[in-house]
Amino acid sequence: MRAEIPKTYNSQEVESRWYQWWESKGYFRADAKSDRHRFVMVMPPPNVTGSLHMGHMLNNTVQDVIARRKRMQGFNTLWLPGMDHAGIATQNVVERELRNEGLSRYDLGREKFVERVWKWKEQYGGIILKQIRRIGSSCDWSRERFTLDAGLSRAVREVFVRLYEEGLIYRGKRLINWCPRCNTAISDLETIYEPVESKLYYIRYPLKGRENAFVEVATTRPETMLGDTAVAVNPKDDRYKKYKGQTVILPLMNREIPLIEDAVVDPEFGTGVVKVTPAHDPADFEMGQRHNLAQISVIGEDAKITSDGGPYQGLERHEARKRILQDLDKQGLLTRTESLKHNVGHCQRCRTVVEPLLSTQWFVRVKSLADEALAAVESGRTEFVPPNWANTYFQWMRNIRDWCISRQLWWGHRIPAWYCDGCGEVIVSRTDLERCPKCSSGKIRQDPDVLDTWFSSALWPFSTLGWPDKTDDLKAFYPTTLLVTAYDIIFFWVARMMMFGLKFMNDVPFSTVYITGIIRDAERQKMSKSKGNVVDPLEICDRFGTDAVRFALARMGAPGTDIALSEELLDSYRAFATKIWNAARLIFRHVDETDRLPTLKELKQSNLSLVDRWILSRLSRAIEGVNRSIEQYNLHEGARHIYSFFWHEFCDWYLEMIKLHPEQSKPTLLYVFETALRLLHPFMPFITEELWQNLPHHGESIVIAPYPEFDPELVNERVETHADLVQQIIVKVRNIRAEMNVDAKQMVTVRVASGDADVTKILSDAREYIFKLAQVSHMEIVPQLSGDKLAAQAVAGGLALEVPLAGLIDVEAERVRLTKALEKVQSEIAKIERTLSNANFVDRAPKEVVEENRRRLAEYQDQAMKLAEGLKRLG
Ligand SMILES: [Zn+2]
Ligand SMILES: [Zn+2]
């Protein structure tokens, strides 16, 4: 006996053994000098603060299935891993730590603080990379990168300087989104709009020089009125034509402001008159530019009223709102208040309400970059899977606004700009400066801000390969082949990689973008901490086995489709792994040291039985299906092909049928099982390596063994039809035995009706399988069935068959048993029907409960039909 594996499949034990060995053997390492076809992916770099969640698990499973198959197919495969420094997220973590010590980052100062973040990173950061190994991801760790690496930082600087020199980066005073809690500007994308229950306030603005004449404006943010520099109406709004050119007095501030006309004002909103606050609202900012209005900032970065806010100076924004409303009310200028649900911007990081503020920041002028990135997808140079995501991309790209890239943080790539106090020059430089190149003054300061963390991730596909140097890696691996990512970062990341890749590498960063769905709980709800339904991937990997979790995700994850993750689902794929394990144990019983793996040529030349030719034909079709599906990114279809082959053909039929002639079938058995393990390996890497190593095989590891290829010569339609007929007869006889309660030890006789000589031959040749697998002692092939009353009849593969029951069962006892069973089922049916006919229940009960009742009803009805048939047979 050659191989011995434990009786029960212990996934944790099996999985603990292989990854380190694979890594130490260098199997995942790509070769920049190789002339083999290449397959390249960069991993979406997880945050250094992160730990593995189900989204990563799905994303990694998809990437790993694809990468492992390509590697086995002989591609020079690079899957480059790494991490993102995650500016604001990481800074927040360390600031929280400091707060617990009663300190703030200002107490430490910039240098000490950044040191402290690096220390945190060394100690706690990057847990996620260990977890990514744990789930089997076959990345090339020798090329691991971090966005704050020296090399990547150099790339960031180079890009910044070049864009600045071309006028595509500028510094300007613009309206930006400010998070008063994080104390930094954030981009439009980091501002999350959520509906908030709020109020719409109607406020009277007196017309200048008229007694008791007002226009009434409606606003959700009365505190910003301190900075109003106009009121506006739509030029087509007849109600206000008479006020054209008039001036109004801004209440509380007693400032004169003009009444202007602008087409963006919606006459349907409120009264049709709006206040214009260019320094605190994006639409007003633009209106202000059109009409040359002053910009008065009345709310500061600390979210308090500034010195331009008159008597309200120093008040926090919510307090200011309260006081302003009270004062307006006292003066009789607040006429009414309505409830209103409207969208308010919140900080993506900390959920604080964002304040639109005028601020001097750095921006990327994106229009020309976006146009090229748009064209590259329109022309198909880069494709989205599924293709409808391209529309989302187009829509955003067509409406793109300049990208605010400066952040008032300390953790990140510092902006390479210096300000000279001597001559006022602004110098953007590749190297750090000590003196002003213009006036030689030593009084220069570097810009204190850092870059948006997405700026460095936008360079990821080429900065990780050594750019701006012309490295071997860059030559060999850019552009990459495939990017696998989630839809929530198409704008943050995918679009920006497209823009920068085209700009700096003159080529798209990837040919295909595969968008995964998201993982929901069993009730299809989004997972969230507040709902308490978050699933920890490592915990379920421990419980169900990593291979089973990976297989479940691949099987359920059609591109772009969300997955409802349930215990039943995971359980069923754990059962799949166990099924394979048990099949292996059975096979290993027949294997000894003298056995070797036959070649396909040897098999083809030998005299194969019907079942051997059948399983080779089915294997071949499975190989074709799996390859075609994965090639089209339909991993779920690939998983389905392999599952149904392994379980329903190989285990259910082949292993049973060869019990008749195990020695004769052994070469085919070994060949098929070894091939099927290789076919399955990308989905279930651990269990397949474990079993493969215990089988006769060629090579060192299944990781680098060849991936099975479709061989049309092995497909045999005739053999499949014959085998199918035999299997159907076995199934039908087994069903009859079960339904009629025939004792398991009792042999039966079968009569099959056919006048076809071919059929007669097939069935005679295969009779031993029918005898053995359906407990048949005698089979007759007759022109017509006898019409025997006490015989159970069925149709198999188009042929009528019958099993005579006389003497096999106690007809009376059987009649009593079936009658009782039928009565019980019928009473269940009546009960459920009553429930379902109650309109109250159907309307009010949760949908799943109603569905469950309908499903049970159908099941009982099916049982009732079978029982009634059984009774009829008894006459
Ligand atoms: Zn914030
Ligand atoms: Zn100077």
Coordinates of all heavy atoms in Angstrom, one line a residue, residues 215-217 230-245 258-267 271-276 287 291:
V215 N -38.0 90.4 -0.4 CA -38.1 89.2 -1.1 C -37.8 88.1 0.0 O -37.2 88.3 1.0 CB -37.0 89.1 -2.2 CG1 -37.3 90.0 -3.4 CG2 -35.6 89.4 -1.6
E216 N -38.4 86.9 -0.3 CA -38.3 85.9 0.7 C -37.4 84.8 0.1 O -37.7 84.3 -1.0 CB -39.7 85.3 1.0 CG -39.8 84.6 2.3 CD -41.2 84.3 2.6 OE1 -41.8 83.5 1.9 OE2 -41.7 84.8 3.6
V217 N -36.3 84.4 0.8 CA -35.5 83.3 0.3 C -35.7 82.1 1.2 O -36.1 82.1 2.3 CB -34.0 83.7 0.4 CG1 -33.7 85.0 -0.3 CG2 -33.5 83.7 1.8
A230 N -25.2 88.1 -2.7 CA -26.3 88.4 -3.6 C -27.5 87.6 -3.3 O -27.4 86.6 -2.5 CB -25.9 88.1 -5.1
V231 N -28.7 87.9 -3.8 CA -29.8 87.0 -3.9 C -30.1 86.8 -5.4 O -29.8 87.7 -6.2 CB -31.1 87.5 -3.2 CG1 -30.9 87.4 -1.7 CG2 -31.5 88.8 -3.6
A232 N -30.6 85.7 -5.8 CA -30.8 85.4 -7.2 C -32.1 84.8 -7.6 O -32.8 84.1 -6.7 CB -29.7 84.5 -7.7
V233 N -32.6 85.2 -8.8 CA -33.9 84.6 -9.3 C -33.6 84.1 -10.7 O -32.6 84.5 -11.3 CB -35.0 85.7 -9.3 CG1 -35.4 86.1 -7.9 CG2 -34.7 86.8 -10.2
N234 N -34.5 83.3 -11.2 CA -34.4 82.9 -12.6 C -34.9 84.0 -13.5 O -36.0 84.6 -13.2 CB -35.3 81.6 -12.8 CG -35.0 81.0 -14.1 OD1 -35.2 81.6 -15.2 ND2 -34.5 79.8 -14.1
P235 N -34.2 84.3 -14.6 CA -34.6 85.5 -15.4 C -36.0 85.2 -16.0 O -36.7 86.2 -16.5 CB -33.5 85.5 -16.5 CG -32.8 84.2 -16.4 CD -32.9 83.8 -15.0
K236 N -36.4 84.0 -16.1 CA -37.8 83.7 -16.7 C -38.9 83.7 -15.7 O -40.0 83.5 -16.1 CB -37.7 82.3 -17.4 CG -36.9 82.3 -18.6 CD -37.1 81.0 -19.4 CE -36.2 81.1 -20.7 NZ -35.5 79.8 -20.9
D237 N -38.5 84.0 -14.5 CA -39.6 84.0 -13.4 C -40.3 85.3 -13.4 O -39.8 86.3 -12.9 CB -38.9 83.7 -12.1 CG -39.9 83.3 -11.0 OD1 -41.1 83.7 -11.1 OD2 -39.5 82.6 -10.0
D238 N -41.5 85.3 -13.9 CA -42.3 86.6 -14.0 C -42.6 87.3 -12.7 O -42.7 88.5 -12.6 CB -43.6 86.3 -14.7 CG -43.4 86.0 -16.2 OD1 -42.3 86.4 -16.7 OD2 -44.2 85.3 -16.8
R239 N -42.7 86.5 -11.6 CA -43.0 87.1 -10.3 C -42.0 88.1 -9.9 O -42.4 89.0 -9.1 CB -43.0 85.9 -9.2 CG -44.1 85.0 -9.4 CD -43.9 83.8 -8.4 NE -42.7 83.0 -8.7 CZ -42.3 82.0 -8.0 NH1 -43.0 81.7 -6.9 NH2 -41.3 81.3 -8.3
Y240 N -40.8 88.0 -10.3 CA -39.7 88.9 -9.8 C -39.2 89.9 -10.8 O -38.2 90.6 -10.6 CB -38.6 88.0 -9.2 CG -39.1 87.1 -8.1 CD1 -39.2 85.8 -8.2 CD2 -39.6 87.7 -6.9 CE1 -39.7 84.9 -7.2 CE2 -40.1 86.9 -5.9 CZ -40.1 85.5 -6.0 OH -40.6 84.7 -5.1
K241 N -39.8 89.9 -12.0 CA -39.3 90.8 -13.0 C -39.3 92.3 -12.5 O -38.3 93.0 -12.8 CB -40.3 90.8 -14.2 CG -40.1 89.5 -15.1 CD -39.6 89.9 -16.5 CE -38.9 88.8 -17.2 NZ -39.8 87.8 -17.8
K242 N -40.2 92.6 -11.7 CA -40.3 94.0 -11.2 C -39.1 94.4 -10.3 O -38.9 95.6 -10.1 CB -41.6 94.2 -10.4 CG -41.8 93.2 -9.3 CD -43.2 93.2 -8.6 CE -43.3 92.1 -7.6 NZ -44.6 91.9 -7.1
Y243 N -38.4 93.4 -9.8 CA -37.3 93.8 -8.9 C -36.0 93.8 -9.6 O -34.9 94.0 -9.0 CB -37.2 92.7 -7.7 CG -38.4 92.7 -6.9 CD1 -38.9 91.5 -6.4 CD2 -39.1 93.9 -6.5 CE1 -40.0 91.4 -5.5 CE2 -40.2 93.8 -5.7 CZ -40.6 92.6 -5.2 OH -41.7 92.6 -4.4
K244 N -36.0 93.7 -10.9 CA -34.7 93.6 -11.7 C -33.9 94.9 -11.3 O -34.4 96.0 -11.4 CB -35.0 93.6 -13.2 CG -33.8 93.1 -14.0 CD -34.2 92.9 -15.4 CE -32.9 92.7 -16.2 NZ -33.1 92.4 -17.6
G245 N -32.6 94.6 -11.0 CA -31.7 95.7 -10.8 C -31.8 96.3 -9.4 O -31.1 97.2 -9.0
P258 N -26.8 92.8 -4.2 CA -27.6 93.0 -5.4 C -28.6 91.8 -5.6 O -28.3 90.7 -5.1 CB -26.6 93.0 -6.6 CG -25.5 92.2 -6.1 CD -25.4 92.4 -4.6
L259 N -29.7 92.0 -6.3 CA -30.6 90.9 -6.7 C -30.2 90.6 -8.2 O -30.2 91.5 -9.0 CB -32.0 91.4 -6.6 CG -33.1 90.3 -6.9 CD1 -34.3 90.5 -6.0 CD2 -33.5 90.3 -8.4
I260 N -29.7 89.4 -8.4 CA -29.2 89.1 -9.7 C -30.1 88.0 -10.4 O -30.9 87.4 -9.7 CB -27.8 88.6 -9.7 CG1 -27.7 87.3 -8.8 CG2 -26.8 89.7 -9.2 CD1 -26.3 86.6 -8.9
E261 N -30.0 87.9 -11.7 CA -30.7 86.8 -12.4 C -29.7 85.8 -12.9 O -28.7 86.1 -13.5 CB -31.5 87.5 -13.6 CG -32.5 88.5 -13.2 CD -33.3 89.0 -14.3 OE1 -32.7 89.1 -15.4 OE2 -34.5 89.3 -14.2
D262 N -30.1 84.5 -12.7 CA -29.2 83.4 -13.2 C -30.1 82.2 -13.5 O -31.0 81.9 -12.8 CB -28.2 83.1 -12.1 CG -27.0 82.3 -12.7 OD1 -27.3 81.1 -13.2 OD2 -25.9 82.8 -12.8
A263 N -29.8 81.6 -14.7 CA -30.6 80.6 -15.2 C -30.6 79.3 -14.3 O -31.5 78.4 -14.4 CB -30.2 80.2 -16.6
V264 N -29.6 79.1 -13.5 CA -29.5 77.9 -12.7 C -30.5 77.9 -11.5 O -30.8 76.9 -10.9 CB -28.1 77.5 -12.1 CG1 -27.1 77.5 -13.2 CG2 -27.7 78.5 -11.0
V265 N -31.0 79.1 -11.2 CA -32.0 79.1 -10.1 C -33.3 78.4 -10.5 O -33.8 78.6 -11.6 CB -32.3 80.6 -9.7 CG1 -33.3 80.6 -8.6 CG2 -31.0 81.3 -9.3
D266 N -33.7 77.5 -9.6 CA -34.9 76.7 -9.9 C -36.1 77.5 -9.3 O -36.3 77.6 -8.1 CB -34.8 75.4 -9.2 CG -36.0 74.5 -9.4 OD1 -36.9 74.9 -10.1 OD2 -36.1 73.4 -8.7
P267 N -37.0 77.9 -10.2 CA -38.2 78.7 -9.8 C -39.1 77.9 -8.9 O -39.9 78.4 -8.1 CB -38.9 79.1 -11.1 CG -38.0 78.8 -12.2 CD -37.0 77.8 -11.7
T271 N -39.3 79.8 -2.7 CA -40.0 80.9 -3.3 C -39.5 81.3 -4.7 O -40.1 82.2 -5.3 CB -39.8 82.1 -2.4 OG1 -38.4 82.4 -2.3 CG2 -40.4 81.9 -1.0
G272 N -38.5 80.6 -5.1 CA -37.9 81.0 -6.4 C -36.8 82.1 -6.2 O -36.1 82.4 -7.2
V273 N -36.6 82.5 -5.0 CA -35.5 83.4 -4.7 C -34.5 82.7 -3.8 O -34.9 82.0 -2.8 CB -35.9 84.7 -3.9 CG1 -34.8 85.7 -3.8 CG2 -37.1 85.3 -4.6
V274 N -33.2 82.7 -4.2 CA -32.2 82.0 -3.4 C -31.1 83.0 -3.0 O -30.8 84.0 -3.6 CB -31.5 80.8 -4.1 CG1 -32.6 79.7 -4.4 CG2 -30.8 81.2 -5.4
K275 N -30.5 82.7 -1.8 CA -29.4 83.5 -1.4 C -28.1 82.9 -2.1 O -28.0 81.7 -2.4 CB -29.2 83.4 0.2 CG -29.1 82.0 0.7 CD -29.4 81.9 2.2 CE -28.2 82.1 3.1 NZ -27.0 81.4 2.7
V276 N -27.1 83.8 -2.3 CA -25.9 83.3 -3.0 C -24.7 83.5 -2.0 O -24.4 84.7 -1.6 CB -25.7 84.1 -4.3 CG1 -24.5 83.6 -5.0 CG2 -27.0 84.1 -5.1
M287 N -21.8 80.5 -9.5 CA -22.6 81.7 -9.9 C -21.8 83.0 -9.6 O -21.9 83.9 -10.3 CB -23.9 81.6 -9.0 CG -25.1 82.2 -9.8 SD -26.5 82.4 -8.7 CE -27.0 80.7 -8.3
H291 N -21.0 86.2 -12.0 CA -21.5 87.6 -11.8 C -20.4 88.4 -11.0 O -20.8 89.5 -10.5 CB -22.8 87.5 -11.0 CG -23.9 86.8 -11.7 ND1 -24.7 87.4 -12.5 CD2 -24.2 85.5 -11.8 CE1 -25.6 86.5 -13.0 NE2 -25.3 85.3 -12.6

